[in-house]
């Protein structure tokens, strides 16, 4: 029997591309050419190859127009991400296309990134690194680049899912107090003593550090706006490794400039790879290029999870483990 045809929109780890090439008639994007940003080009390549499956990634424009233009051969879209707000699920469902994601395997790595940003913001690590590289460091001084400790601080986790709970576990090792905001209270065994808040105001007023782990979409669009920033204590820290669109960039930049927010650490951006220009002029914000899941181990695990979903549908005629539609 001929192998199912699979289209990969992005360059993936070597082990994942090797497995895809072994089990499928795979078209790879081994040079990571930017055609993956163009939905019409994705549809054109799917049609040209007769793709039965598409392995896409976060940021690929799998919107209604792209899905409408896909050939009838496409049976499954597997995204190399836990988030799926770049895919129009209703459009895929209407065409009978299965959509899957890669949950569970990237929680620790993303929490690790959030904790990195917390430390960078609290201890002014970005400023110090830039000072050294610029040749401006003149030696140790008692008042140089004084930051704040994480010890004893109240960490507020907005979105207490897998990533948020992993971050809470790390923070307990730094003797931090955990507060969280979610739609509903977590079971006691998952809460592990964390304090639940059922409204934004009590949550934001109680914390010293906000770490955002919200899903994307209209419900969380610009959630962290001027009003909510004003609820936070003067000198608070903000970290976002969730969705860039959850932050009102102009409002956060203004709060950083005024000092009401002491510092921030960002790994995701609204409209990335574009970054709000105000951040680039601020020393008190640490900026990372969407590194949340960027460990060798995690990216391979994500690829294996995505291929497992593809295998279920295209090789074994089974229901995919992580089916969304």
């Amino acid at each position: 029997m001929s192998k199912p045809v699979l289209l990969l929109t992005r360059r993936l780890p070597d082990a994942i591309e090797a497995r895809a090439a072994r089990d499928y008639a795979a078209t790879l994007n081994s040079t990571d050419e930017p055609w993956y940003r163009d939905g019409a080009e994705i549809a054109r390549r799917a049609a040209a190859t007769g793709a039965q499956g598409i392995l896409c990634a976060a940021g690929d424009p799998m919107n209604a127009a792209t899905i409408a233009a896909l050939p009838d051969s496409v049976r499954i879209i597997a995204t190399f991400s836990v988030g799926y707000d770049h895919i129009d699920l209703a459009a895929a469902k209407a065409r009978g296309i299965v959509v899957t994601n890669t949950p569970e395997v990237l929680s620790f790595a993303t929490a690790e990134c959030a904790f990195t940003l917390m430390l960078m913001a609290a201890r002014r690590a970005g400023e110090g690194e830039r000072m050294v590289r610029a040749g401006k460091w003149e030696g140790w001084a008692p008042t140089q680049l004084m930051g704040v400790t994480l010890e004893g601080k109240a960490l507020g986790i907005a979105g207490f899912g897998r990533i948020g709970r992993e971050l809470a576990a790390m923070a307990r090792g730094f003797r931090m107090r955990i507060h969280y905001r979610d739609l509903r209270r977590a079971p006691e065994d998952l809460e592990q003593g964390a304090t639940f808040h059922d409204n934004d105001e009590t949550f934001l007023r109680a914390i010293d550090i906000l770490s955002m782990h919200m899903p994307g979409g209209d419900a969380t669009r610009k959630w962290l706006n001027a009003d909510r920033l004003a609820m936070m204590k003067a000198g608070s820290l903000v970290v976002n490794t969730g969705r860039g669109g959850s932050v009102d960039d102009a409002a956060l930049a203004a709060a950083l400039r005024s000092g009401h927010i002491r510092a921030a650490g960002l790994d995701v951006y609204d409209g990335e790879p574009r970054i709000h220009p105000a951040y680039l002029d601020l020393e008190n914000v640490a900026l990372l290029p969407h590194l949340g899941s960027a460990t060798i181990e995690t990216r391979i695990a994500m690829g294996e999870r995505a291929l497992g979903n593809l295998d279920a549908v295209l090789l074994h005629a089974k229901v995919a483990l992580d089916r969304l539609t």
Side-chain angles (χ1 to χ4, degrees):
M1 290 180 62
S2 60
K3 296 178 180 179
V5 179
L6 177 63
L7 176 67
L8 283 71
T9 66
R10 301 300 307 265
R11 183 179 182 183
L12 298 178
D14 290 345
I16 301 308
E17 291 190 345
R19 175 177 162 182
R22 182 194 69 196
D23 296 338
Y24 295 90
T27 297
L28 309 178
N29 188 358
S30 56
T31 61
D32 224 18
E33 294 179 31
W35 57 263
Y36 60 82
R37 296 179 183 170
D38 184 348
E41 183 65 12
I42 291 173
R44 188 191 71 76
R45 289 176 181 263
T49 58
Q52 295 161 274
I54 298 175
L55 206 174
C56 69
D60 287 350
M62 305 303 292
N63 51 39
T66 301
I67 290 173
L70 293 176
D72 291 340
S73 58
V74 175
R75 297 168 53 198
I76 176 172
I77 298 170
T79 183
F80 186 87
S81 62
V82 65
Y84 47 86
D85 44 311
H86 56 294
I87 304 174
D88 191 316
L89 297 184
K93 185 175 182 180
R95 291 205 59 188
I97 298 173
V98 173
V99 177
T100 66
N101 65 342
T102 60
E104 300 175 354
V105 295
L106 50 71
S107 301
F108 190 90
T110 305
E112 201 172 48
C113 184
F115 210 92
T116 299
L117 284 168
M118 277 204 297
L119 284 168
M120 290 181 72
R123 297 302 303 272
R124 303 177 67 176
E127 293 175 73
E129 204 265 353
R130 288 189 292 275
M131 177 188 288
V132 172
R133 285 187 178 274
K136 295 179 179 179
W137 185 50
E138 297 179 353
W140 183 86
T143 59
Q144 185 180 76
L145 290 177
M146 291 190 299
V148 294
T149 184
L150 298 183
E151 183 183 10
K153 295 294 190 296
L155 170 62
I157 299 174
F160 203 60
R162 294 185 184 96
I163 297 169
R165 295 195 299 271
E166 291 284 10
L167 180 64
M170 295 175 189
R172 292 185 186 100
F174 276 66
R175 297 191 283 275
M176 301 180 78
R177 294 172 285 119
I178 312 302
H179 295 250
Y180 73 98
R181 173 78 174 97
D182 214 319
L183 297 177
R184 59 189 62 84
R185 186 169 183 172
E188 188 175 337
D189 61 321
L190 296 180
E191 225 177 30
Q192 293 288 299
T195 301
F196 170 65
H197 294 264
D198 63 4
N199 69 89
D200 296 337
E201 185 168 1
T202 63
F203 170 65
L204 292 170
R205 293 195 187 284
I207 63 176
D208 303 300
I209 303 166
L210 170 66
S211 188
M212 298 175 64
H213 304 277
M214 299 173 169
D218 292 341
T220 59
R221 179 82 181 151
K222 295 192 176 183
W223 178 85
L224 189 63
N225 56 21
D227 289 342
R228 290 189 176 90
L229 285 162
M231 294 175 188
M232 299 179 69
K233 300 175 186 176
S236 295
L237 307 179
V238 170
V239 168
N240 189 17
T241 56
R243 295 291 183 274
S246 298
V247 173
D248 182 329
D249 291 317
L252 178 57
L256 286 163
R257 195 177 295 111
S258 72
H260 178 68
I261 298 299
R262 180 186 300 273
L266 306 175
D267 188 48
V268 291
Y269 309 92
D270 191 13
E272 60 184 59
R274 298 185 305 277
I275 297 175
H276 195 284
Y279 292 140
L280 303 178
D281 297 325
L282 293 168
E283 284 288 348
N284 57 341
V285 57
L287 306 171
L288 295 181
H290 205 145
L291 295 180
S293 63
T295 69
I296 295 167
E297 299 89 344
T298 300
R299 293 285 168 85
I300 290 175
M302 290 169 67
E304 295 286 356
R305 186 88 173 211
L307 285 171
N309 286 315
L310 287 158
D311 291 352
V313 173
L314 298 179
L315 298 180
H316 307 305
K318 293 182 178 180
V319 176
L321 174 64
D322 304 307
R323 182 169 182 164
L324 301 168
T325 60

